[in-house]
Amino acid sequence: RSPAACSLALSAAALMSHPWAYPPQYPQPYPPYALPPAQTPPPPTIESWLEGVKPGYGAKYASYFHEIADDLDDVAHASDATVAKLRAALERDQVKDCPRDRLLDAVASLHDRRAAPMAIENGPPAPPVAAP
Protein backbone atom coordinates (compact mmCIF):
# COMPACT_ATOMS: atom_id res chain seq x y z
CA ARG A 1 0.00 0.00 0.00
CA SER A 2 1.09 3.49 -0.68
CA PRO A 3 1.43 5.97 2.19
CA ALA A 4 -1.42 8.02 0.73
CA ALA A 5 -3.76 4.99 0.77
CA CYS A 6 -2.83 4.23 4.40
CA SER A 7 -3.47 7.80 5.50
CA LEU A 8 -6.79 7.80 3.63
CA ALA A 9 -7.86 4.56 5.32
CA LEU A 10 -6.69 5.86 8.70
CA SER A 11 -8.55 9.13 8.29
CA ALA A 12 -11.76 7.31 7.26
CA ALA A 13 -11.52 5.11 10.38
CA ALA A 14 -10.87 8.18 12.51
CA LEU A 15 -13.89 9.92 11.02
CA MET A 16 -16.20 6.96 11.72
CA SER A 17 -15.20 6.97 15.39
CA HIS A 18 -15.81 10.71 15.72
CA PRO A 19 -18.85 11.61 17.92
CA TRP A 20 -20.62 13.27 14.97
CA ALA A 21 -20.02 10.37 12.61
CA TYR A 22 -22.84 8.84 10.64
CA PRO A 23 -24.32 6.46 11.67
CA PRO A 24 -24.12 7.44 15.35
CA GLN A 25 -21.94 5.16 17.42
CA TYR A 26 -23.75 5.50 20.75
CA PRO A 27 -27.15 4.12 21.77
CA GLN A 28 -30.25 6.02 20.82
CA PRO A 29 -32.96 6.90 23.36
CA TYR A 30 -35.53 4.95 21.29
CA PRO A 31 -35.29 2.45 18.43
CA PRO A 32 -34.57 3.81 14.95
CA TYR A 33 -37.63 4.66 12.85
CA ALA A 34 -39.80 4.80 15.99
CA LEU A 35 -41.59 7.95 17.01
CA PRO A 36 -40.43 9.66 20.17
CA PRO A 37 -42.68 9.19 23.19
CA ALA A 38 -45.82 11.30 22.97
CA GLN A 39 -45.95 14.35 25.16
CA THR A 40 -49.20 16.01 26.11
CA PRO A 41 -49.27 19.69 25.28
CA PRO A 42 -49.84 22.08 28.16
CA PRO A 43 -53.42 23.27 28.58
CA PRO A 44 -54.14 26.57 26.84
CA THR A 45 -53.96 29.73 28.89
CA ILE A 46 -56.76 32.23 29.11
CA GLU A 47 -54.70 34.60 26.95
CA SER A 48 -54.06 32.04 24.20
CA TRP A 49 -57.72 30.98 24.23
CA LEU A 50 -58.82 34.61 23.86
CA GLU A 51 -56.35 35.04 20.96
CA GLY A 52 -58.19 32.13 19.32
CA VAL A 53 -61.48 33.97 19.78
CA LYS A 54 -60.03 36.98 17.95
CA PRO A 55 -56.44 38.18 17.58
CA GLY A 56 -55.71 40.93 20.10
CA TYR A 57 -58.33 39.82 22.63
CA GLY A 58 -55.74 38.05 24.81
CA ALA A 59 -53.95 41.24 25.75
CA LYS A 60 -57.09 43.37 25.79
CA TYR A 61 -59.57 41.27 27.78
CA ALA A 62 -57.61 38.68 29.80
CA SER A 63 -57.76 40.83 32.93
CA TYR A 64 -61.56 40.45 33.03
CA PHE A 65 -61.26 36.67 32.96
CA HIS A 66 -58.50 36.67 35.60
CA GLU A 67 -60.92 38.50 37.92
CA ILE A 68 -63.25 35.48 37.88
CA ALA A 69 -60.93 32.53 37.21
CA ASP A 70 -57.38 31.23 37.62
CA ASP A 71 -57.26 29.26 34.37
CA LEU A 72 -59.33 28.22 31.38
CA ASP A 73 -60.73 25.16 33.16
CA ASP A 74 -62.22 27.48 35.78
CA VAL A 75 -63.82 29.54 33.02
CA ALA A 76 -65.30 26.38 31.49
CA HIS A 77 -66.84 25.43 34.85
CA ALA A 78 -68.00 28.93 35.80
CA SER A 79 -71.52 29.17 37.18
CA ASP A 80 -74.17 31.40 35.65
CA ALA A 81 -73.64 33.87 38.51
CA THR A 82 -69.91 34.06 37.74
CA VAL A 83 -70.60 34.63 34.04
CA ALA A 84 -73.04 37.37 35.08
CA LYS A 85 -70.19 39.01 37.04
CA LEU A 86 -68.05 38.87 33.90
CA ARG A 87 -70.87 40.45 31.88
CA ALA A 88 -71.29 43.18 34.53
CA ALA A 89 -67.55 43.94 34.52
CA LEU A 90 -67.53 44.21 30.72
CA GLU A 91 -70.56 46.51 30.81
CA ARG A 92 -69.11 48.58 33.69
CA ASP A 93 -66.02 49.34 31.61
CA GLN A 94 -68.19 50.06 28.56
CA VAL A 95 -66.77 47.31 26.35
CA LYS A 96 -68.53 47.63 23.00
CA ASP A 97 -71.49 45.34 22.32
CA CYS A 98 -69.92 43.18 19.59
CA PRO A 99 -66.72 42.27 21.48
CA ARG A 100 -68.75 41.70 24.65
CA ASP A 101 -71.15 39.38 22.82
CA ARG A 102 -68.27 37.53 21.16
CA LEU A 103 -66.55 36.98 24.53
CA LEU A 104 -69.73 35.76 26.20
CA ASP A 105 -70.48 33.45 23.25
CA ALA A 106 -66.98 32.00 23.59
CA VAL A 107 -67.63 31.29 27.28
CA ALA A 108 -70.95 29.68 26.35
CA SER A 109 -69.19 27.45 23.81
CA LEU A 110 -66.78 26.31 26.54
CA HIS A 111 -69.80 25.39 28.66
CA ASP A 112 -71.38 23.54 25.70
CA ARG A 113 -68.21 21.48 25.11
CA ARG A 114 -68.05 20.67 28.81
CA ALA A 115 -71.69 19.50 28.84
CA ALA A 116 -71.48 17.45 25.62
CA PRO A 117 -69.78 14.35 27.15
CA MET A 118 -72.40 14.25 29.91
CA ALA A 119 -75.18 14.14 27.31
CA ILE A 120 -73.48 11.22 25.56
CA GLU A 121 -73.01 9.32 28.85
CA ASN A 122 -76.69 9.71 29.75
CA GLY A 123 -77.81 8.49 26.34
CA PRO A 124 -80.41 9.96 24.04
CA PRO A 125 -83.52 11.52 25.55
CA ALA A 126 -86.52 9.27 25.99
CA PRO A 127 -89.14 9.47 23.25
CA PRO A 128 -92.28 11.42 24.09
CA VAL A 129 -95.18 9.40 25.44
CA ALA A 130 -98.29 9.55 23.31
CA ALA A 131 -101.42 10.87 25.02
CA PRO A 132 -104.15 8.23 25.59
Side-chain angles (χ1 to χ4, degrees):
R1 277 182 146 174
S2 70
C6 289
S7 67
L8 183 61
L10 180 60
S11 62
L15 282 175
M16 291 306 292
S17 65
H18 193 273
W20 296 301
Y22 184 81
Q25 302 298 317
Y26 17 90
Q28 296 296 309
Y30 42 86
Y33 307 111
L35 296 174
Q39 297 180 2
T40 58
T45 63
I46 290 174
E47 289 81 0
S48 65
W49 172 71
L50 287 170
E51 286 297 318
V53 173
K54 185 173 180 184
Y57 276 19
K60 198 169 186 179
Y61 299 113
S63 61
Y64 294 100
F65 286 85
H66 284 295
E67 288 179 17
I68 64 163
D70 291 330
D71 56 21
L72 193 56
D73 187 54
D74 290 346
V75 175
H77 291 86
S79 67
D80 291 340
T82 304
V83 175
K85 287 180 188 176
L86 174 65
R87 176 186 289 277
L90 293 168
E91 289 172 352
R92 176 192 69 222
D93 291 344
Q94 299 177 350
V95 173
K96 292 180 182 177
D97 291 342
C98 290
R100 184 181 64 232
D101 292 343
R102 184 178 276 197
L103 292 168
L104 294 172
D105 286 347
V107 171
S109 73
L110 279 179
H111 284 220
D112 292 345
R113 280 189 266 157
R114 178 180 57 100
M118 291 173 39
I120 293 170
E121 289 173 8
N122 294 334
V129 178

